[in-house]
Structure formats: structure tokens, C-alpha cells
Amino acid sequence: MESDVVMRGKMYKIVIQSKMASRSIVWLFAVLLMAAFVQHSGAEFVQLDEYYRMPKIYEYDDYDRCVAQAPLALADDAVYCVARTVIKPDQESSLWRLIETFSNDTKRHFRHDHLDRGFCIERCRQLVQSLDGQTADALYVGKFDIPFPYIINADAFNNVSGDRERYGRLINICQNYALRQQYNLSGYTEIEYCTGPKRTVPMDGLDISFLIITALIALLVISSTWYDHYTSKQLGNEHYKKDLPCRKTMVLTSFSLVRNWYRLVSRSKDQLNEDLKFFQAIRFFTFCLVVVGHCGDLFTASSFANTQDREAEYYSPLGHVLINGSIIVQSFFEMSGFLLSIHFCTTQAKMKRISWIAILVTVGYRYIRLTPAYAFILLLHATWLPKLQDGPLWPRGAEVERNFCRRNWWTNLLYVNNYVNADEPCLQQAWYLACDYQLFTVGLIILVAVTKYKKYVVHIFSVSGVVAILIPALVVYFKHFDGVFVVTLQAERFIYWFDEMYHKIYIPFHTNIGCYIGGVVYGYLYYRVRTSDNKGNRSGFLKFLWYMTVPCGILTLMLSMIFYSYNFEKPSMWIALFFPLHKNAWALFGAIVLYGIIYNYNRFIKSVVNFPLFVPLGRLTYCAYISHVFFLKNFFYGTRDIAYFSHVSMYTKVISVIVASYILGAIVALTLEFPISALQKHLLSKQLEKHSKPEPPRENNNISPPSA
């Protein structure tokens, strides 16, 4: 009788799973049909002959030719200015009506009434001098009401006010002469910044301090490496692979380059770290995808010729895989939450209790580990970055960064730069570091709570999940936002500095908490399942879900296209709920992927992600991440010519940025991150024990925290 009940239960589960699989397939085809429908339902992209009637968005005089004319002109005239032009509305012009109509689709098109221009002052002076006074006065257009952000604030650059007084009228007339001649239009032109061969940034005390700090680090590394070699006692390489019995010696060898190299390439000896080794590969691939997205942003923020190709991508579902790829950062959040949970559970298993004060100690411990390398790169941006290159776009990439870093460095080092002065970012990618740091604190609070109140584990996690959905839903509803983070080309031109949705929904921690909590919950469950020697569920249904995760993830990105193609009425309850569900679906996809890799659903994929090379690459990802914008600025803003956007040219730069970032990241990791981590281990490792009571060691306990 009992066996019959068991059999009926199994049959019932099989039927339910079959129904769920069928429903999944139906939903999958529904999404595919929706994507196909959207592809053909939106307004057709404008005909190219009509498109080419509009003024080019990016157009610059030859910088090197302008500079070469410097010896022939007065010293003050050897200047090159970059300006923004806003075309003046003229309803009698058919071309203006085309520009207005096309630009009104703000989600998929550039504002073609908003132009970037580079002017050689000597050329403009010669042109204006050839005009009579009445003609020049007629060409000048004063500032009119402009209903959108059109220029970077003057205080982001050096000496802009003086340049506007000297050259503002000259450039205004020069630009309007070209607009009248070619398009019979006029516009207001305002200087954003000026540059030239004699406009170098003078060296100051902060620049010298960077050199001194770099020299001190190098001296520490050399001295520590020599001392480590001196104490090796002919033990060979094995000396560097293990801790020394003397604590003082370990402190003195913390900066040893050879010892830190072996820390980078060594393999873990405990089973849990070995099981989760594939996380390093996922870290590496996720970082590569992040660089792809940032390169796409920088193409638009700098300049490129074929703007129509970029706009045409907004009409293709496949194009939206790249356009909406910013959601990939949720994978980082989920991994962070998962590893925090595993680390916490393995530590808690060795303790009788963990106090609330341990949260403060742990947060401080993390601060000390992460900040030195971060501060070093920040100081590099604030000092020597502007001195590396010149060119028409270089001040926009480097001078602005220098000024913002000197002004707002404290927001970065306090990890509040995603809330405070986020429209004047230093190391803009560091919003993620601030957000992750804040989420780390929240995750710790939740884990301590479920440890202290074990009867309410389900309740605590459930409330956390509801809050994670409710907060972004409320923000979307009351701010009248769309159901996804809409990446507009106009916002990309200023790298989202003026984009409200970026500031209110993309970078705050309270709107990104969902995937992090998902990772915390999944890590908690995995630890419980693993310690009970469960081999995992290997049912056909779960394997089917695992194989469908990547296609479903791609379709999720394509699904975002509906919010670009249609302007839904807002505020809307369904849009408010769609946003967190769509965003947090990434946590579900990530959990399924991790589950399948952990329990070896596909041996080939498991062997790829466990390839030994990914271990050091994964460990270097943090330093590569904080370094990569340094190279983005050099590769994109250091150019003299207007680039041509193509996938080949973009991925060429992606590869260059990744390789260069890992080279600099390896240097910073081996000389700062790893040594500071080693010093922490030897000097501060006992601080947590003051707030907890260790249990006697358990038999066969081979679980230790994974490398994070």
C-alpha cells in the first residue's frame, strides 16, 4: 500500500514536470513570435538618401593640420575648439521638419538637431575676416530655449570661460556659415572646451605624490622579494608556496613578487574551492561582456562617422542583445551574493555564534582589502592620465576625468559615488564597486539574521525578495519609467551623465538588490544541500531548462525591444512590475546555469570553465575591472580621426582593452591587492574571533571559504 502511494506520487511529479516543460516550450515560442512581430512592426528606418540630407552629427577640422599652422599664426591663435551646435527650429524648411520628425524618436535615434563640431580657430578667423561686417552679424545666432542637455558643464574643463569670451562669437559665425551654405539652416553654437599644443597641464604636487607612491611600492616589492629569497634556505619554489612559521617573516614577505605570483596561479587544496573553481571562468567571461558594452558606449561618446548603422541596430532584435547587454552586470551581483553566502556559512559552521558587531568588522576588513588598489588607479586618473596624449577629443576623456577625480575622490573612497555626485563621476565604472559594497553589507545583515533566528529563515528570505521587487517597481511607477533600462543614443553621447533613469534606477543599490539576494539565497541553499551529500537533481526537465537558459536569456534581451518601439502610457502597474521581474529573471537564469555546472550536466562545458588558465584570470578580474576605463579613454579619446563603427572595429578594441586591462591589473594585483590581502591575513585575521566563539573542529570537515 505504501509503495503504491510512493509510485502514484512519482507519477504525479512526472505529469507535473511534463506539463511544466510543455508550458515552457509554449512560452518560448510565444516570445520568439513576439520578437519576430516586433522586428517588423516598428516604423521603418528612414531612407538613406533622406538620412544624408541631414547634417552630420560628428564633424571635426583636421587637428594635426591646425596645429601644424601654429608657427605661421599668432601664438594665441594656435587653438582648436570643440563645440556643440543646436539647430534653430525653422518650420518653413523641409529639411528641418525631417530633422525634427526623425529626432522625435528619442529612444532609437540621435538628436540630429544636436551636432558635435571641432574648429580650427585660425581657419575660422580667416573665414570670418573674409566676410563683411553685416554678413557676419547676420550669421550670428544667440542662445535660444534648448529643452535638453546639450553640453558638458564648463567647470569640468580648464579655462572655458576665457575661451568662450575670445572665440565664442567667431565659432558661432563660422558654424552658421557652413550650415547656411550646405543646408540653409542656422543654429546656436557653444564652445565646450579648447585645446592646443601649448595647453598642457602643468605638473603639481599631486602628480609628484603619485610618482613617490609608485616608487615606494616598487621599493617595498623589491625589498620584500629580496628578503623572501634570502629566507628561502635552498628550499626552491616550495618555499614561496606555503606560509612560513614565523608571523613576522610572513608580514615582511607580504610584498614578495614571487610569493604573490604563486598566490595568483596556485590551485586550492580543499574540495569546496575545487567544486566552485568554474566561478573564475564566469568572472572572466562576464568582465569581457562588460567591456563589450562599455566599448559600444564609448563609440557614441567620442565620435564615429556612420551614425545610421548604429541607429539601424535599434530596429533589429539581434541588435538589442548588445544594446540591452548592460543587464549582464546582474551576473556579477549574483556571483557576489552567492560567494558571500558560501563564505559566511562555512565560517559560521566553525563558530558557536556570530555577533552583530561582526558585520562592522567584516565590512571594514573588506574595505581594507579592496581600497588600496582602487585608490591607486583613482590617483592615476587624477594625475598622469591627461599627460599621456593630446588631440581634439582628449580633454573630453582625460581632462574631465582629472577634474572630477580631484573634486569627487572622496565619494569613491567612501563607496557612495553611485548616490553622491554621480553626474560628475570619477572612474565611472566604479558605481558598481559602490553598489556591490552596499549590497555586501545588506547581504551580511540578512545572513546574520537568518543565523540568529533560524526559525524565520523562510520569512526573512521571503521578505527580502518581496522588498527587492517592490522597491524598483515603486521607482518605475512614480518616476514614469519604462519597463527596462532604456539605452538611448543621446544619453550615450554624455555617458548617461544627464540620464534620469541611469541615476534613479540603474546605479543605486536599492534597485539592484534582487539578483544579489537571489545569489545569497542560492548560496545558502547550495551549502545546505552540499553538506548533506546530495548529488543534485539530474532530471530531464532540469537539464532541458539548463540548456534553454542561454537562448531564454538572449530572448529576454530581445524582448526589451518593445519599449523602444512603443511609447506605452505611464505610469502603469504592469510596467512597474515588469521591470523588476524582467531584471531579476537574470538571477533565475544564473541559478540554473550554476546548478547545471556544479552538478556536471555537460562534461565538455564543465571542462572548459574548469580550464586552469581561468583561475588566475578570474583572480585578476577585480584589478582588470578598475583598470579598464584607463584604456577605454586612451583608445577612444586619443584618436585624431572620426572612427567608423562596425562590429569588427569594435571587437578589435574590445580585445585590446581586455588584454591591456589584464596586464595593468596583474601589476596592480601583484604589487598591491595580494600584498594587502596577505597583510590582513597575518595582522587582522583574529579580529572576527573577538566577536565569535569557535567550536571544536569537526571530523572530515574539508569545507573552507572559496577564493573571492
Side-chain angles (χ1 to χ4, degrees):
M1 185 70 178
E2 185 176 349
S3 60
D4 292 338
V5 172
V6 172
M7 181 62 69
R8 283 197 298 270
K10 290 182 178 179
M11 292 297 294
Y12 178 76
K13 288 183 180 179
I14 292 173
V15 171
I16 293 297
Q17 289 177 354
S18 300
K19 288 182 177 180
M20 291 177 67
S22 301
R23 290 175 182 175
S24 298
I25 295 172
V26 170
W27 276 107
L28 177 62
F29 279 107
V31 174
L32 282 169
L33 290 172
M34 184 179 295
F37 171 76
V38 171
Q39 183 176 10
H40 300 288
S41 63
E44 293 295 328
F45 191 66
V46 69
Q47 296 294 324
L48 287 183
D49 57 345
E50 287 286 285
Y51 190 93
Y52 290 133
R53 286 180 59 202
M54 297 184 289
K56 294 180 180 178
I57 292 178
Y58 304 100
E59 196 167 27
Y60 296 84
D61 289 345
D62 189 309
Y63 177 82
D64 291 311
R65 183 176 180 180
C66 181
V67 170
Q69 293 174 348
L72 305 176
L74 297 175
D76 289 343
D77 290 335
V79 176
Y80 188 100
C81 292
V82 173
R84 309 273 190 172
T85 296
V86 180
I87 298 176
K88 188 175 182 179
D90 180 6
Q91 295 300 331
E92 295 181 359
S93 167
S94 61
L95 178 55
W96 163 254
R97 292 194 297 272
L98 170 64
I99 292 172
E100 183 181 39
T101 302
F102 193 75
S103 300
N104 281 341
D105 190 348
T106 56
K107 293 181 180 180
R108 296 185 290 186
H109 299 159
F110 286 101
R111 288 200 69 105
H112 286 259
D113 58 347
H114 182 210
L115 314 177
D116 285 20
R117 292 292 182 265
F119 299 95
C120 180
I121 292 298
E122 178 60 19
R123 180 188 69 80
C124 284
R125 182 179 292 280
Q126 293 176 6
L127 172 64
V128 174
Q129 286 177 348
S130 70
L131 304 174
D132 60 79
Q134 187 176 2
T135 302
D137 291 340
L139 287 173
Y140 179 79
V141 173
K143 187 173 183 179
F144 52 87
D145 182 42
I146 301 173
F148 58 89
Y150 67 96
I151 196 167
I152 297 174
N153 295 332
D155 61 358
F157 301 94
N158 301 327
N159 306 317
V160 173
S161 298
D163 288 328
R164 287 177 178 175
E165 291 180 7
R166 284 191 293 271
Y167 310 119
R169 179 179 175 84
L170 179 71
I171 284 179
N172 190 302
I173 295 171
C174 185
Q175 170 66 351
N176 278 319
Y177 179 85
L179 287 175
R180 281 292 181 190
Q181 290 287 101
Q182 298 179 51
Y183 308 104
N184 197 28
L185 294 170
S186 62
Y188 169 70
T189 301
E190 185 174 332
I191 292 175
E192 190 167 78
Y193 60 88
C194 293
T195 186
K198 296 185 178 181
R199 296 197 170 202
T200 57
V201 181
M203 186 180 297
D204 60 12
L206 200 61
D207 298 326
I208 296 172
S209 70
F210 177 82
L211 296 178
I212 294 173
I213 291 171
T214 303
L216 289 174
I217 293 172
L219 182 62
L220 268 175
V221 170
I222 293 171
S223 302
S224 184
T225 304
W226 174 83
Y227 182 76
D228 202 14
H229 175 73
Y230 177 77
T231 58
S232 61
K233 298 179 181 180
Q234 299 180 346
L235 294 177
N237 292 338
E238 291 300 319
H239 166 78
Y240 303 104
K241 296 179 181 180
K242 59 184 181 180
D243 288 348
L244 303 177
C246 178
R247 181 182 176 189
K248 179 181 177 181
T249 303
M250 285 305 301
V251 170
L252 292 175
T253 59
S254 294
F255 282 82
S256 169
L257 192 63
V258 181
R259 185 172 294 275
N260 285 317
W261 171 259
Y262 281 107
R263 285 175 182 145
L264 173 64
V265 300
S266 64
R267 294 184 60 178
S268 175
K269 296 180 180 180
D270 70 82
Q271 189 58 45
L272 181 59
N273 271 313
E274 192 66 22
D275 291 344
L276 301 179
K277 184 173 66 175
F278 68 88
F279 263 86
Q280 307 293 5
I282 296 177
R283 274 201 187 103
F284 170 75
F285 289 125
T286 303
F287 170 68
C288 291
L289 293 174
V290 168
V291 173
V292 170
H294 288 173
C295 284
D297 291 338
L298 265 293
F299 253 110
T300 306
S302 52
S303 65
F304 66 103
N306 54 324
T307 53
Q308 73 281 358
D309 291 337
R310 190 80 172 92
E311 289 170 311
E313 286 194 335
Y314 279 74
Y315 290 79
S316 165
L318 286 177
H320 279 266
V321 175
L322 174 62
I323 292 166
N324 299 293
S326 58
I327 200 172
I328 194 68
V329 76
Q330 299 302 318
S331 299
F332 268 139
F333 288 137
E334 183 170 19
M335 284 190 291
S336 296
F338 182 91
L339 292 176
L340 168 64
S341 194
I342 292 291
H343 191 142
F344 182 90
C345 289
T346 54
T347 302
Q348 188 268 332
K350 303 172 185 178
M351 306 294 178
K352 284 187 176 180
R353 65 177 181 84
I354 292 181
S355 70
W356 291 104
I357 301 176
I359 296 174
L360 297 177
V361 176
T362 306
V363 169
Y365 195 91
R366 180 180 175 86
Y367 182 89
I368 295 171
R369 184 176 69 85
L370 296 180
T371 306
Y374 180 25
F376 181 81
I377 296 297
L378 189 154
L379 187 60
L380 173 62
H381 281 238
T383 54
W384 289 91
L385 174 62
K387 297 176 175 62
L388 298 180
Q389 295 195 61
D390 63 2
L393 297 175
W394 188 240
R396 188 182 291 170
E399 187 178 299
V400 171
E401 182 79 352
R402 173 185 182 271
N403 293 337
F404 283 172
C405 284
R406 291 184 174 220
R407 188 181 307 164
N408 298 319
W409 59 269
W410 61 274
T411 65
N412 291 69
L413 297 187
L414 291 179
Y415 294 93
V416 294
N417 50 297
N418 59 332
Y419 285 98
V420 182
N421 298 338
D423 57 343
E424 294 183 348
C426 167
L427 286 165
Q428 187 170 354
Q429 85 282 14
W431 74 265
Y432 164 79
L433 301 181
C435 192
D436 184 70
Y437 195 83
Q438 295 151 11
L439 290 170
F440 176 83
T441 306
V442 173
L444 268 180
I445 293 171
I446 292 173
L447 286 169
V448 171
V450 299
T451 301
K452 286 185 166 293
Y453 309 107
K454 295 182 179 179
K455 293 181 179 180
Y456 304 102
V457 170
V458 175
H459 301 81
I460 293 171
F461 282 146
S462 299
V463 170
S464 301
V466 171
V467 170
I469 293 174
L470 188 60
I471 291 177
L474 291 173
V475 174
V476 168
Y477 185 85
F478 287 106
K479 290 293 182 180
H480 298 193
F481 289 145
D482 280 296
V484 296
F485 174 57
V486 177
V487 179
T488 67
L489 292 166
Q490 189 65 16
E492 278 188 331
R493 290 175 75 173
F494 295 100
I495 327 180
Y496 311 106
W497 293 352
F498 305 132
D499 187 70
E500 186 183 14
M501 197 171 190
Y502 173 80
H503 291 288
K504 300 295 184 183
I505 203 77
Y506 186 71
I507 63 175
F509 96 90
H510 62 270
T511 56
N512 284 289
I513 199 170
C515 284
Y516 197 93
I517 289 179
V520 169
V521 173
Y522 183 50
Y524 184 88
L525 294 176
Y526 169 70
Y527 178 82
R528 301 302 174 200
V529 169
R530 184 184 183 278
T531 52
S532 65
D533 296 324
N534 194 310
K535 300 299 182 182
N537 189 329
R538 305 182 64 84
S539 70
F541 173 67
L542 274 181
K543 285 188 176 181
F544 169 78
L545 283 182
W546 188 73
Y547 281 107
M548 293 306 300
T549 299
V550 172
C552 286
I554 293 173
L555 289 172
T556 299
L557 298 178
M558 291 181 180
L559 185 61
S560 304
M561 186 177 177
I562 62 175
F563 293 100
Y564 293 81
S565 302
Y566 303 101
N567 286 315
F568 297 104
E569 184 178 351
K570 295 181 285 290
S572 169
M573 188 64 70
W574 79 267
I575 290 177
L577 290 175
F578 182 90
F579 183 92
L581 294 176
H582 174 268
K583 188 174 186 177
N584 294 329
W586 215 252
L588 177 61
F589 296 153
I592 295 172
V593 169
L594 294 179
Y595 191 90
I597 295 176
I598 289 171
Y599 292 112
N600 204 14
Y601 278 9
N602 186 296
R603 291 183 179 180
F604 173 75
I605 292 177
K606 185 69 174 282
S607 65
V608 169
V609 296
N610 277 335
F611 190 69
L613 179 62
F614 290 124
V615 173
L617 288 177
R619 289 172 180 168
L620 291 175
T621 298
Y622 169 68
C623 286
Y625 182 83
I626 61 177
S627 302
H628 81 281
V629 169
F630 177 81
F631 296 104
L632 284 174
K633 291 185 178 295
N634 276 279
F635 293 159
F636 282 94
Y637 289 107
T639 183
R640 293 290 207 274
D641 302 320
I642 296 179
Y644 183 88
F645 176 82
S646 70
H647 291 292
V648 172
S649 62
M650 191 183 78
Y651 286 109
T652 300
K653 291 197 174 184
V654 166
I655 294 171
S656 301
V657 170
I658 291 171
V659 172
S661 299
Y662 269 100
I663 292 173
L664 179 57
I667 295 171
V668 175
L670 292 172
T671 58
L672 268 180
E673 185 195 5
F674 291 178
I676 296 299
S677 180
L679 283 174
Q680 275 190 305
K681 176 182 177 182
H682 302 302
L683 296 178
L684 304 175
S685 59
K686 295 184 179 181
Q687 293 301 314
L688 279 174
E689 295 180 9
K690 295 180 180 179
H691 309 286
S692 57
K693 295 180 180 179
E695 279 186 339
R698 300 175 183 175
E699 294 183 4
N700 301 323
N701 185 5
N702 60 354
I703 300 169
S704 64
S707 174

